[in-house]
């Protein structure tokens, strides 16, 4: 996105570059009642039972979220996807042991099939109170769960070339992870209702395609001055810089209900960013898409999932997303080998073959004559095989 270089704006955003292409994962987990299968607003009791859990680097590994039916699992900083998944598995075991005596099971998908947003309780904090006061009905509607993957980047001037070049792969990630076809007891007709719900917040949705870090600093200055947000954490883009950690944070994916799919998607993201980073280092001009194509691709992936026909280049050529995915995975194989995640990357191709989460949910609903409790049962089993 062309724009003025705002060096005189007075806002400096320090990017604490990562010397290695590290990976970290945040996994939002919902709490559901063992009997009713509705959401359970028991996060406070779960936290009382768990106490404080921290990674070796001091990172809190369990954190509260906007709603009291949700707990977020957070890894430490790792070099490989396998190590990050081992980290999450250990924390998940701690969480499950705390939730089980409370009559609570663990659940993950982009949305809950039948829960009502009006029955959910909010976590009280200054940040969350301000969010709800500003966003009102849309903020209260955010009954959604996702996965966020951080990948380390060495220098701030690489951030937006990589971020912009990630956007052609946006529909691939959304289609593979789509897990929110149902909302408030109805099938929405979308593979990912979450993606379109979340973008209703004023600071959420697709990122701006800045060319230079100084343009991003100008944007931040404008947001701070006009009170749009008061800290960078209030910028809820689907892909965003995380200057404090020296990472690019990819927030595209719906909630993921199996460890194998989570590892596959994390490996895909890790490889995409590291591949693009190497191409920037080599002086390559990375391919991008016009903003209108990026927006259309997001909608197509949210609507049609793995059946989406996506726009692949600035010349408006189109292709079935799974056909394009196959070529992309082949290109990333050497990067995966170097990162130690070749097996995990190969598992990405299994998702279309076995059925994405949204497809599995619909199959269960059809087989049970529309019993959405059966859908929740299936998701709980997937998370705890």
């Amino acid at each position: 996105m062309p724009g003025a270089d705002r060096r005189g704006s007075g806002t400096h955003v320090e990017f604490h570059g990562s010397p290695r292409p590290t990976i970290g994962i945040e996994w939002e987990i919902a709490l559901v009642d063992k009997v009713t299968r509705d959401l359970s607003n028991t996060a406070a009791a779960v936290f009382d039972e768990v106490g404080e859990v921290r990674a070796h680097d001091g990172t809190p590994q369990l954190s509260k979220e906007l709603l009291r039916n949700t707990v977020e699992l957070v890894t430490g900083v790792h070099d490989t996807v396998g190590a990050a998944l081992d980290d999450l598995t250990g924390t998940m075991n701690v969480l499950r042991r705390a939730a089980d005596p409370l009559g609570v099971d663990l659940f993950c998908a982009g949305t809950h099939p039948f829960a009502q947003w009006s029955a959910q309780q909010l976590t009280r904090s200054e940040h969350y109170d301000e969010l709800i006061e500003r966003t009102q009905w849309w903020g209260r509607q955010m009954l959604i769960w996702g996965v966020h993957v951080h990948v380390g980047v060495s220098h701030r001037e690489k951030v937006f070339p990589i971020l912009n070049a990630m956007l052609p792969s946006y529909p691939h990630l959304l289609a593979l992870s789509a897990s929110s076809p149902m909302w408030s007891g109805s099938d929405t007709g979308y593979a990912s209702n979450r993606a379109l719900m979340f973008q209703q917040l004023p600071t959420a949705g697709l990122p701006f395609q800045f060319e230079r870090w100084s343009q991003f600093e100008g944007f931040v200055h404008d947001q701070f001055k006009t009170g749009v947000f008061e800290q960078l954490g209030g910028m809820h883009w689907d892909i965003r810089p995380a200057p404090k950690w020296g990472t690019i944070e990819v927030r595209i994916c719906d909630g993921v209900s199996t460890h194998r799919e989570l590892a596959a998607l994390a490996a895909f993201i890790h490889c995409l960013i590291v591949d693009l980073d190497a191409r920037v280092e080599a002086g390559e001009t990375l391919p991008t898409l016009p903003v209108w194509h990026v927006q259309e691709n997001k909608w197509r992936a949210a609507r049609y999932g793995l059946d989406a026909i996506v726009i692949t280049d600035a010349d408006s050529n189109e292709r079935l997303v799974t056909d394009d995915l196959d070529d992309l995975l082949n290109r990333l194989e050497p990067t995966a080998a170097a990162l130690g995640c070749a097996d995990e990357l190969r598992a990405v191709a299994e998702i279309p073959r076995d059925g994405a989460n949204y497809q599995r949910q619909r199959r269960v609903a059809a087989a049970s004559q529309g019993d959405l409790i059966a859908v929740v049962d299936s998701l709980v089993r997937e998370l705890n095989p």
Side-chain angles (χ1 to χ4, degrees):
M1 173 183 291
D5 192 331
R6 301 290 300 280
R7 294 183 189 278
S9 66
T11 298
H12 174 68
V13 180
E14 184 70 26
F15 185 81
H16 300 278
S18 172
R20 307 186 315 281
T22 54
I23 185 168
I25 304 172
E26 302 166 3
W27 194 5
E28 295 173 347
I29 302 296
L31 308 174
V32 296
D33 187 272
K34 285 180 177 289
V35 177
T36 67
R37 289 314 198 199
D38 202 349
L39 289 169
S40 175
N41 289 282
T42 50
V46 169
F47 276 102
D48 288 343
E49 188 71 22
V50 168
E52 191 172 78
V53 182
R54 290 184 178 271
H56 60 84
D57 60 4
T59 304
Q61 294 189 276
L62 286 171
S63 66
K64 298 177 181 178
E65 282 292 308
L66 171 65
L67 296 174
R68 294 176 64 182
N69 56 42
T70 301
V71 175
E72 184 177 61
L73 279 61
V74 181
T75 71
V77 178
H78 295 282
D79 290 317
T80 66
V81 170
L85 264 290
D86 288 345
D87 189 343
L88 285 172
T89 299
T91 308
M92 181 73 80
N93 291 338
V94 171
L95 176 60
R96 185 169 279 115
R97 287 195 296 270
D100 192 63
L102 299 173
V104 170
D105 274 328
L106 308 182
F107 162 100
C108 191
T111 56
H112 187 284
F114 63 84
Q116 301 296 314
W117 68 268
S118 57
Q120 309 312 312
Q121 298 174 17
L122 298 169
T123 300
R124 298 305 304 271
S125 76
E126 183 178 351
H127 173 65
Y128 291 144
D129 289 350
E130 180 184 355
L131 174 66
I132 294 301
E133 171 59 28
R134 184 166 189 238
T135 60
Q136 292 294 309
W137 188 83
W138 276 115
R140 291 294 307 275
Q141 288 277 332
M142 293 297 120
L143 200 58
I144 53 177
W145 299 272
V147 169
H148 307 156
V149 178
H150 289 256
V151 177
V153 175
S154 62
H155 192 275
R156 69 182 195 175
E157 292 303 335
K158 292 182 179 179
V159 170
F160 279 96
I162 294 171
L163 187 156
N164 297 343
M166 280 287 291
L167 291 171
S169 301
Y170 187 115
H172 307 63
L173 287 165
L174 183 56
L176 288 163
S177 67
S179 62
S180 49
M182 300 168 194
W183 175 259
S184 195
S186 299
D187 191 315
T188 65
Y190 283 77
S192 174
N193 192 52
R194 167 194 163 273
L196 302 186
M197 288 286 301
F198 190 51
Q199 71 181 17
Q200 303 310 313
L201 295 183
T203 60
L206 292 167
F208 294 114
Q209 296 187 46
F210 296 118
E211 295 175 353
R212 298 180 298 280
W213 188 259
S214 59
Q215 292 176 337
F216 174 63
E217 289 179 321
F219 164 79
V220 171
H221 165 79
D222 291 346
Q223 305 310 290
F224 286 173
K225 183 173 182 179
T226 57
V228 176
F229 52 75
E230 297 180 353
Q231 55 181 340
L232 285 178
M235 181 184 68
H236 299 110
W237 291 349
D238 297 338
I239 311 175
R240 67 182 181 182
K244 179 180 178 181
W245 309 114
T247 65
I248 291 175
E249 181 184 3
V250 179
R251 301 155 51 87
I252 295 167
C253 294
D254 272 9
V256 179
S257 63
T258 75
H259 286 70
R260 186 165 178 79
E261 285 180 331
L262 180 61
L265 291 164
F268 190 19
I269 292 168
H270 201 191
C271 291
L272 280 168
I273 291 178
V274 171
D275 173 70
L276 292 169
D277 192 319
R279 292 162 68 183
V280 171
E281 286 279 2
E284 183 178 340
T285 299
L286 300 181
T288 59
L289 283 179
V291 292
W292 48 91
H293 286 346
V294 174
Q295 181 174 306
E296 175 65 13
N297 276 346
K298 176 178 180 177
W299 183 86
R300 291 184 187 188
R303 171 64 178 88
Y304 300 109
L306 293 171
D307 294 319
I309 305 294
V310 299
I311 305 164
T312 58
D313 55 38
D315 292 327
S316 303
N317 292 306
E318 297 175 289
R319 200 176 185 198
L320 179 66
V321 68
T322 48
D323 290 343
D324 199 60
L325 175 67
D326 289 340
D327 288 348
L328 185 52
L329 293 176
N330 288 337
R331 183 168 65 77
L332 292 174
E333 284 179 0
T335 303
L339 292 172
C341 62
D343 289 343
E344 291 91 342
L345 186 70
R346 278 193 290 270
V348 173
E350 297 174 6
I351 297 175
R353 290 200 297 266
D354 297 341
N357 188 301
Y358 74 93
Q359 294 170 320
R360 300 196 301 270
Q361 288 188 48
R362 285 178 170 147
R363 285 202 296 260
V364 171
S368 61
Q369 289 75 53
D371 181 4
L372 298 186
I373 290 177
V375 177
V376 177
D377 284 339
S378 70
L379 290 164
V380 169
R381 284 195 301 270
E382 288 189 355
L383 194 58
N384 183 26

